[in-house]
Amino acid sequence: MMREVLKCDAEGCDHIEPVEAVTSDLVGKPCPKCGASLLTQEDWDAWAPIRDLLLELEKAADGVADTEDQIDVSIGYHDGEASIKFKPVTTG
């Protein structure tokens, strides 16, 4: 299941805002903590194709049995730089 958030990238601000989906209507949304934009047009333009790919991968994984070996994948994009982080998911 894909969980989406907006993260403020302003220096010194640590605000993270869960959203139903990162969509173009969120471009320019101000951070409630510092007022900086949570999603710039440039970041949206670069993120949209990545998000589309992730949604297709999620659809392809539907119906695949869960196993004990699961990972949490965090993918971010800001100011021309993408980041991918992997973290094991512990169950039980």
Side-chain angles (χ1 to χ4, degrees):
M1 179 175 146
M2 199 157 95
R3 181 179 69 97
E4 297 188 59
V5 299
L6 292 176
K7 179 183 175 296
C8 186
D9 294 315
E11 191 168 330
C13 188
D14 59 356
H15 179 72
I16 296 174
E17 187 165 324
V19 293
E20 185 76 26
V22 176
T23 57
S24 63
D25 62 313
L26 296 174
V27 171
K29 179 180 173 121
C31 173
K33 189 171 179 181
C34 74
S37 176
L38 289 174
L39 182 63
T40 65
Q41 184 65 53
E42 294 81 16
D43 287 347
W44 166 252
D45 291 343
W47 173 248
I50 296 168
R51 182 179 187 277
D52 291 345
L53 174 62
L54 292 173
L55 290 170
E56 288 301 316
L57 289 172
E58 186 177 49
K59 277 195 259 181
D62 280 350
V64 175
D66 288 337
T67 67
E68 291 183 25
D69 298 326
Q70 296 181 30
I71 58 171
D72 182 24
V73 180
S74 174
I75 301 174
Y77 182 88
H78 174 70
D79 202 20
E81 186 173 304
S83 63
I84 301 174
K85 296 177 185 176
F86 299 94
K87 181 175 129 182
V89 173
T90 56
T91 58

